[in-house]
Amino acid sequence: MKLEDILQDPAEVYNKPQEVLDDGNLSEDEKCKVLAQWKYDAEELQTATAENMPGPDDSLLDDILAARKKLNCKD
């Protein structure tokens, strides 16, 4: 799958952030990009939920942040 496609919706491609780390087809820089997009999406979901626009209950934000830390991704 192309990076551009993955960046459209990382949660559609991966079930857990660990799967991004395990993806041998992506460079570390690409993994950081995917995790950054997923982090953005998760934060937007939290904002929407806080504004009474509920979405899925299971936010993976903590797992995404942990995966970014493992890769030493820069913000």
Side-chain angles (χ1 to χ4, degrees):
M1 181 168 266
K2 293 182 182 179
L3 178 61
E4 299 82 30
D5 296 332
I6 296 170
L7 290 173
Q8 293 295 316
D9 187 2
E12 187 70 27
V13 179
Y14 302 103
N15 292 314
K16 297 178 182 179
Q18 182 63 43
E19 292 177 7
V20 177
L21 297 179
D22 296 338
D23 189 337
N25 295 315
L26 299 176
S27 68
E28 284 193 14
D29 185 54
E30 291 171 329
K31 291 176 185 182
C32 285
K33 288 179 183 178
V34 170
L35 291 167
Q37 181 61 49
W38 204 347
K39 175 180 174 269
Y40 174 82
D41 294 344
E43 289 171 340
E44 289 295 303
L45 180 60
Q46 281 186 338
T47 299
T49 301
E51 294 174 354
N52 290 327
M53 292 181 275
D57 290 332
D58 56 320
S59 173
L60 296 173
L61 187 55
D62 290 340
D63 293 338
I64 295 165
L65 295 173
R68 287 178 48 83
K69 186 174 181 177
K70 284 183 186 178
L71 288 174
N72 293 315
C73 297
K74 308 293 182 221
D75 284 331

